[in-house]
Amino acid sequence: MSSSLPGLPTLDRCAVMGVVNVTPDSFSDGGMWLDPAKAVAHGLDLTARGADLVDVGGESTRPGAQRVTEEEELRRVIPVVRELAAAGVTVSVDTMRAAVAEQAVAAGARLVNDVSGGLADPAMAEVVAATGAPFVVMHWRGQSADMDSLAVYGDVVADVVAELTDRMTALLAAGVKEEQLILDPGLGFAKTSEHNWALLGRLDALTALGRPVLVAASRKRFLGTLLANPETGELRPARQRDDATAAVSVLSARAGAWAVRVHDVAGTADAVRVVAAWQRAAQRG
Ligand code: PMM
């Protein structure tokens, strides 16, 4: 879906958001890009491979993860954001902290990606309203240390839609403009594999809320479970989930997602172009 978001280029296809985790402990690439020079080089490499945006984060949100201090998060993220933005990359900052969002936007970030949708830091809404930057509102129920116990739903699709709708209402009341909002089902955050599949299968329930939708399935555990070794039951390792991730990208693009967030950009960059060409041909009839 092509959508107009303030300060971001408009594309005629699903956008590709590449991931740079400046962390020692993210589940699939922890420690690889902790050094700022390596993180910047990786962001440039993702752009060369076809990323339309690069998402820079300094705090792992994998299940069970402990929080880093604000000071440490700023130290990890801001120099990388500044350098990538200066090189002309469209940078997104992945943070739950208002101070990090504010300083990242001042350093050149053009989108704020908050996995808590503004719930973790009460100051986030005000900062986002003041910057006017697009804001990813992810469905979230609690910090990583205890999110597994929160994966309880009546009807996961209806519950996620209702909770995201509440978030949108609260953010608008706090001064954020509707045109800034991007929605995300929050795959793997207080969700089992079955919950993730249910949400992907009903992505239309999210797009029906009228805002661009971001899907971030890349290398997540539910793909490892789907592709587990049939003999041993061993999960497919995270770094061997990229083909499955590209398949999710195809289906998300086809279902109208605005963007997909991925670690391995090349496969998904090709995939979203195939979907766009297919859909253009289908429209011509
Ligand atoms: N998942 C992770 C990190 N950031 N941001 C959004 N908007 N949606 C997500 O699902 C999401 C995210 C965790 O994955 P990672 O550790 O591989 O970055």
Side-chain angles (χ1 to χ4, degrees):
M1 180 177 107
S2 77
S3 302
S4 157
L5 287 158
L8 295 187
T10 303
L11 302 176
D12 60 356
R13 56 169 170 75
C14 178
V16 181
M17 178 187 277
V19 181
V20 177
N21 284 322
V22 194
T23 60
D25 56 345
S26 288
F27 73 95
S28 82
D29 56 357
M32 290 180 73
W33 323 113
L34 189 55
D35 171 61
K38 282 194 185 148
V40 170
H42 185 51
L44 294 173
D45 184 51
L46 293 178
T47 306
R49 286 171 194 268
D52 303 297
L53 306 123
V54 170
D55 191 36
V56 179
E59 178 171 42
S60 169
T61 49
R62 74 182 197 307
Q66 297 300 318
R67 299 213 62 187
V68 297
T69 64
E70 181 170 303
E71 195 183 15
E72 175 62 12
E73 194 184 343
L74 285 166
R75 199 186 63 75
R76 290 179 186 175
V77 161
I78 301 302
V80 178
V81 169
R82 183 172 294 117
E83 233 181 290
L84 286 174
V89 175
T90 304
V91 179
S92 146
V93 62
D94 186 345
T95 186
M96 289 186 270
R97 289 193 168 106
V100 178
E102 191 169 35
Q103 292 191 40
V105 171
R110 284 201 259 159
L111 183 149
V112 177
N113 173 24
D114 179 355
V115 298
S116 83
L119 281 170
D121 185 340
M124 183 62 95
E126 202 180 315
V127 162
V128 169
T131 63
F135 182 58
V136 177
V137 184
M138 199 193 81
H139 177 263
W140 185 87
R141 283 185 163 182
Q143 293 292 350
S144 300
D146 34 47
M147 68 182 173
D148 284 348
S149 64
L150 302 171
V152 181
Y153 300 88
D155 170 336
V156 67
V157 175
D159 292 353
V160 166
V161 165
E163 288 167 37
L164 281 176
T165 304
D166 287 349
R167 276 285 71 220
M168 289 202 288
T169 305
L171 289 161
L172 295 174
V176 178
K177 296 215 163 54
E178 189 171 2
E179 62 180 23
Q180 292 176 260
L181 300 178
I182 297 164
L183 302 176
D184 181 330
L187 302 172
F189 287 80
K191 300 186 187 70
T192 63
S193 290
E194 289 70 29
H195 295 143
N196 294 334
W197 288 118
L199 287 161
L200 286 170
R202 285 295 322 282
L203 222 48
D204 62 302
L206 256 70
T207 56
L209 295 175
R211 297 304 308 151
V213 170
L214 171 67
V215 174
S218 187
R219 295 183 180 170
K220 284 189 175 167
R221 184 184 172 88
F222 75 111
L223 298 177
T225 306
L226 177 76
L227 305 172
N229 182 317
E231 270 142 43
T232 64
E234 195 189 332
L235 296 196
R236 174 76 64 84
R239 304 292 299 280
Q240 294 167 32
R241 299 174 190 165
D242 289 329
D243 293 344
T245 299
V248 175
S249 297
V250 168
L251 294 165
S252 301
R254 203 180 155 87
W258 160 74
V260 285
R261 177 184 181 278
V262 295
H263 300 86
D264 172 52
V265 159
T268 280
D270 289 355
V272 294
R273 285 165 176 79
V274 168
V275 173
W278 185 299
Q279 289 180 321
R280 277 195 299 274
Q283 273 161 16
R284 281 196 297 269

